[in-house]
Amino acid sequence: QVQLVESGGGLVQAGGSLRLSCAASGIIFSINHMGWYRQAPGKQRELVALITNGGSTNYADSVKDRFTISRDYAKSTVDLQMNSLKPEDTGVYYCNVVRNGAPFHVWGQGTQVTVSS
């Protein structure tokens, strides 16, 4: 059974930082591309950061140079370091396996990030 458990969200002032973590189980972690998605209030869920099975990364323009995605193969975790946070970064953040450019598994509960101005 696949489980994706996100943690690390919270309330932070604009300009602050947060580090999110996703623990994956029930998958062969090393062969999968992993992504962090964000769903802002009233908007569709969007992919904000991707890390391939080989460790290459890609970011949405809105978070480039502020967010950093990383993965720990030994622990089967994917982290998202978020710096210089803006109010528009507010939303629920989810991780998922990415296959053919799309999320593959059932979503976890996500973790709420709220950035105050």
Side-chain angles (χ1 to χ4, degrees):
Q1 182 181 353
V2 176
Q3 276 197 311
L4 300 165
V5 181
E6 302 91 348
S7 62
L11 173 63
V12 64
Q13 287 189 328
S17 298
L18 282 174
R19 188 175 184 90
L20 308 183
S21 188
C22 168
S25 59
I27 63 172
I28 304 174
F29 183 77
S30 61
I31 68 171
N32 282 292
H33 307 325
M34 300 295 298
W36 276 99
Y37 293 78
R38 171 173 72 198
Q39 187 162 23
K43 295 188 177 180
Q44 287 191 328
R45 205 168 326 206
E46 59 172 340
L47 178 66
V48 296
L50 170 74
I51 187 164
T52 69
N53 52 12
S56 298
T57 59
N58 198 15
Y59 300 93
D61 287 343
S62 59
V63 306
K64 203 169 290 184
D65 300 324
R66 299 189 298 120
F67 289 11
T68 302
I69 189 171
S70 60
R71 65 192 295 167
D72 186 321
Y73 293 93
K75 296 180 180 178
S76 296
T77 57
V78 185
D79 287 357
L80 187 68
Q81 177 66 43
M82 306 187 296
N83 299 328
S84 303
L85 282 161
K86 304 175 180 180
E88 52 263 44
D89 294 319
T90 293
V92 183
Y93 284 71
Y94 303 85
C95 70
N96 210 328
V97 170
V98 180
R99 289 190 188 173
N100 298 318
F104 189 74
H105 288 296
V106 173
W107 297 103
Q109 84 286 353
T111 187
Q112 174 72 48
V113 171
T114 303
V115 184
S116 63
S117 57

